[in-house]
Amino acid sequence: MTTLAAEPLGPPALPDSAADAVYRKVAVRLIPLLFLCYIAAYLDRVNVSFAKLQMQQQLGLSESVYGLGSGIFFIGYFIFEIPSNVMLHKVGAGRWIARIMVTWAILSAAMMFVSSATSFYIVRFLLGVAEAGFFPGIILYLTYWFPAARRGRATSLFLAAIAVAGLIGNPISGWIMHSLSGAAGLQGWQWLFILEALPSLVLGVLAWFWLEDRVKNAQWLTPQERDLIARDIAAEESHKADGSLGRVLSDGKIWLCAFIYFAIVSGLYGVTFWLPTIIKELGIPDPLQVGLIGAVPWAFGIAAMYLMARSADRRHEYRWHTAVSCVASAVGLVISVAFHADALLAMTGLTIAAMGIMSALPIFWSNPTALLGGTAAAMGIAFINSVGNLAGFAIPLIIGVIKDRTHSTDAGLHMLAVLMILGAIAVLILRKPAAR
């Protein structure tokens, strides 16, 4: 079994009372950049939901075409996810994350040249190929720096980028499309793809120089601090499974984790890809107003995510926290459908749904990262994320077909609520929680 080796014993270990300060130092160094990178990644992945408000009519795309084009991103993502994560484990996080970000920035900007359903499908697929490995790579990277008992809050701070991307991205996207439409002969949705690709390009270059691959390379830590972290990580890794892809895939817990994540991601992308459309159907046509209103659910999602992750870490309990979050999101989705004629109540339901989904995400990852170590962690995390993100392909397509046939998203949101309930049941079946 392969484990992460601790540095040779040298300086005496720091007292336990100093551990909190050491891990705060690590978080301050790493989390802000990872946070910004994920905001950029998430915007480039889902800004098509705003572009849809203009490009769908201008290019003559049906709801089904939009759903397939939005989701086909995740086919490329799925195919290249595991190889990408194994490469990150081998060549180092800084270089590989930088490669991912620069290539996806280029392809995201290339969305401005889409002129038909075929070109829409091709560029979205290539964007998924480029981004494959980013998210599971960061989840794996955090296991190099934080033991399980501290990883929940670190992961929640990183994943807060999803909610922040919605909080700031929705108004910015709406403003770009509202204000720049027609500038320099380009449509608002074309400006959207160009401008929102630039941060990814800049952050990718920064990641190359800023992210150390392992603790032993972190010269901004003292020898004592490096030794403390290395000891904690090595002690945790010694209890984890390692091995081949076949061994990972033969573990029933990994498949159960993959299903749970599929359910959570279904809720996430169901809301993300269709929230602007749902708000527009409430009688709010202006993209800027849609963006401002669309920021509300994610603002509440940030607070809920951090508080739930903090509670889970303090109690060393992750299954029930994940399950309760999934149930809350299901309730919110049902409320949004039941009161779709009332804009305030419908948005209240969507806000509750976003709070539950965002709370479930970081807490869920405390389970598989505590079960796997070494190369098995790289493959297992990538596999779970790959299967889970197939929801990003299936859900927009299914909801698009439903909307084409029923002219409503209600049945699609009910389907998401059922999936979230099944996810809650599955996580309770996962007998061994992450914390030890």
Side-chain angles (χ1 to χ4, degrees), residues 1-2 44 50 54 62 180 184 226 234 249 273 281 301 304 310 329 332 337 362 400:
M1 177 169 65
T2 303
D44 287 344
F50 257 92
Q54 290 181 352
S62 69
L180 297 182
R226 290 197 297 269
L249 297 183
F273 280 121
E281 289 177 347
R310 184 178 180 183
S329 66
V337 173

Side-chain angles (χ1 to χ4, degrees), residues 337-361:
V337 173
F339 299 97
H340 65 270
D342 186 313
L344 178 60
L345 289 177
M347 283 303 300
T348 299
L350 288 172
T351 299
I352 294 171
M355 292 170 67
I357 292 165
M358 295 307 302
S359 297
L361 278 171

Side-chain angles (χ1 to χ4, degrees), residues 28 53 84 101 122 134 139 151-152 159 216 234 260 287 301 319 337 342-343 360 380 405 416 421 433:
V28 168
L53 299 178
S84 180
M101 296 190 67
I122 291 172
F134 175 76
I139 296 298
R151 201 178 305 132
L159 289 178
K216 65 181 180 181
I260 296 165
R319 290 188 304 149
V337 173
D342 186 313
R405 294 183 178 180
L416 296 180
I421 293 295

